[in-house]
Amino acid sequence: MKTTLVWFKTDLRLHDNETLIKAITSSDEIIPVYCFDEAQFETTKFGFKKTGSFRTQFLFESLIDLDASLRKLGSGLLVVKGKPEEELPKIVQQYKVSKVYAKREVSYEEKQTEILVQNELFKLKCEFQSFSTSTLYHAEDLPFSIKDIPDVFTSFRKKTEKDAIIRTAFDVPVKIQSPEIPEFKLPTFEDLNLEFTAIDKRASIKFKGGETEAINRLNHYFYKTKCISEYKETRNGLIGADYSSKFSAWLALGCISPRFINNELKKYESQFGANESTYWLVFELLWRDFFRFMFKKHQTKFFLYKGIQSEKVNSKSLNEKLLSQWINGATPSDFVNANMLELKLTGFMSNRGRQNVASYFCNELNMDWRIGAAYFEQQLIDYDVCSNWGNWAYLAGVGNDPRGHRWFNIEKQASDYDRNKAYRKLWLK
């Protein structure tokens, strides 16, 4: 009897999950496992939690949904808590597992954990195999090697769109053979050294974790409302659920895959027509790919003060008073304040807001950009390591911006995007 273990991480779905499909087809039984990695709930050197209350709640919901889906197919999700390099080998020994399958990591800390797990499995004569499951374009299909990927997005996008193909998504498995999986049990907030924080009722959307909710959201945004056909015109909005796709939270935890979204988009376009807006969603998914491939190329550099550049233009300082004002929406800028309060109270902020508050942090407050990125890491429901740190480095002038330092005129931005002050009135009342 060949038994394999599927280590779920930020790929919490059954559809288009190569890791899961390969494990099923190459073994008699599989054991799906999720490990609450203690390192992901620690406090960083910048003083913020790596995972805050809002994202933890979304994660809990996603795991509940994944377990329910697995049990319908004859399996279930085994949840453990601790260090993956200690917890996974225990399961391997208990069930006599011959091979572990997992999603491939690209960013530094996650990669280090992967290596530690691999080393411990080697001692048990257990194989380890990983698969790329996070991007629209597979790394092996790019028209350049990772080390030769252009550092400028436009160059990357044009050549990739012209010369690469998007692979077919994997189907959902119809049946899974597993030994008896123990009863599903999540840790508590207290177990993770967190306090539960309720999301403010003014939130633009009620995010609920899980593959089921991810597909519901896609059907709502595509077919029920057809909002996708106006995405390019509305994407800079600030209020409401449908000014943008809001797929980011489900993408970040892998409750939905970029390829699945792209497949559904093609179906939508064949039925209702393609336009600049439908293309723009793919354009945004390409940005997501780009940052992931940049992390594969530059590795730890995106976490350094000088980023991937050789020179740094803004300050490396920390002013506790100014930081507190920024976090708590008490700066001289009402537009920054409204956005920061939305983030603090809901775990979400629009793309327009993110660019403005990051520019304000780096340029007006003149502080170490990594402090701002670390606060976002704690707060955001849709935190994705590559997109978050890649975007912050970009705004700080040490990332992939070919134009150098990006400095937003906040008052003009407020006037352009919140002309009647509806957004500011909503959050500053």
Side-chain angles (χ1 to χ4, degrees), residues 40-148:
Q40 292 301 316
F41 294 87
E42 289 173 353
T43 300
T44 69
K45 65 179 181 179
F46 299 108
F48 302 111
K49 287 275 188 185
K50 285 188 75 66
T51 309
S53 170
F54 297 135
R55 190 158 79 259
T56 300
Q57 181 62 36
F58 189 84
L59 171 59
F60 284 173
E61 292 162 353
S62 300
L63 294 173
I64 290 166
D65 186 64
L66 178 60
D67 176 68
S69 298
L70 286 166
R71 291 196 187 265
K72 284 175 189 168
L73 300 182
S75 185
L77 187 64
L78 175 58
V79 175
V80 293
K81 175 182 164 290
K83 293 178 175 157
E85 65 270 23
E86 293 174 2
E87 298 305 320
L88 295 179
K90 287 179 193 171
I91 301 166
V92 165
Q93 289 175 297
Q94 183 184 346
Y95 290 93
K96 297 183 173 55
V97 169
S98 59
K99 195 168 182 178
V100 171
Y101 290 80
K103 171 194 163 175
R104 188 169 303 150
E105 301 293 353
V106 297
S107 50
Y108 180 72
E109 288 177 0
E110 289 79 0
K111 195 78 193 159
Q112 292 306 110
T113 302
E114 196 175 85
I115 291 165
L116 288 172
V117 169
Q118 208 166 347
N119 291 342
E120 292 304 313
L121 295 177
F122 180 74
K123 294 174 189 174
L124 300 173
K125 297 184 171 57
C126 177
E127 287 182 68
F128 179 86
Q129 190 170 358
S130 62
F131 300 87
S132 289
T133 64
S134 293
T135 49
L136 184 62
Y137 287 91
H138 198 288
E140 291 169 12
D141 300 332
L142 295 176
F144 13 62
S145 65
I146 293 294
K147 68 180 176 59
D148 295 325

Side-chain angles (χ1 to χ4, degrees), residues 350-409:
S350 69
N351 180 55
R352 181 56 46 188
R354 294 180 202 206
Q355 293 185 64
N356 274 276
V357 302
S359 173
Y360 186 86
F361 187 89
C362 297
N363 301 313
E364 314 286 333
L365 301 184
N366 206 26
M367 282 196 281
D368 184 339
W369 65 274
R370 296 173 302 167
I371 300 167
Y375 178 65
F376 270 37
E377 179 174 9
Q378 171 184 281
Q379 288 300 110
L380 285 171
I381 291 175
D382 64 2
Y383 171 77
D384 170 279
V385 57
C386 303
S387 294
N388 183 65
W389 289 84
N391 270 308
W392 266 93
Y394 189 98
L395 263 298
V398 298
N400 297 95
D401 189 354
R403 287 171 284 187
H405 213 52
R406 187 67 60 99
W407 194 314
F408 281 73
N409 180 333

Side-chain angles (χ1 to χ4, degrees), residues 302-356:
F302 276 100
F303 302 102
L304 301 178
Y305 174 66
K306 66 179 185 179
I308 63 171
Q309 304 299 334
S310 55
E311 293 178 17
K312 187 71 177 71
V313 288
N314 66 357
S315 165
K316 199 175 180 179
S317 67
L318 165 61
N319 182 312
E320 294 280 4
K321 183 183 175 186
L322 293 179
L323 176 61
S324 175
Q325 288 174 348
W326 182 73
I327 287 172
N328 295 301
T331 74
S333 167
D334 60 353
F335 190 59
V336 168
N337 294 344
N339 277 288
M340 291 305 294
L341 284 169
E342 182 182 15
L343 176 62
K344 181 183 178 184
L345 299 173
T346 72
F348 186 77
M349 188 197 297
S350 69
N351 180 55
R352 181 56 46 188
R354 294 180 202 206
Q355 293 185 64
N356 274 276

Side-chain angles (χ1 to χ4, degrees), residues 272-290:
F272 302 106
N275 63 12
E276 226 183 331
S277 284
T278 56
Y279 165 73
W280 209 259
L281 187 66
V282 182
F283 178 87
E284 296 294 356
L285 290 173
L286 263 170
W287 261 112
R288 202 175 157 274
D289 274 17
F290 177 65

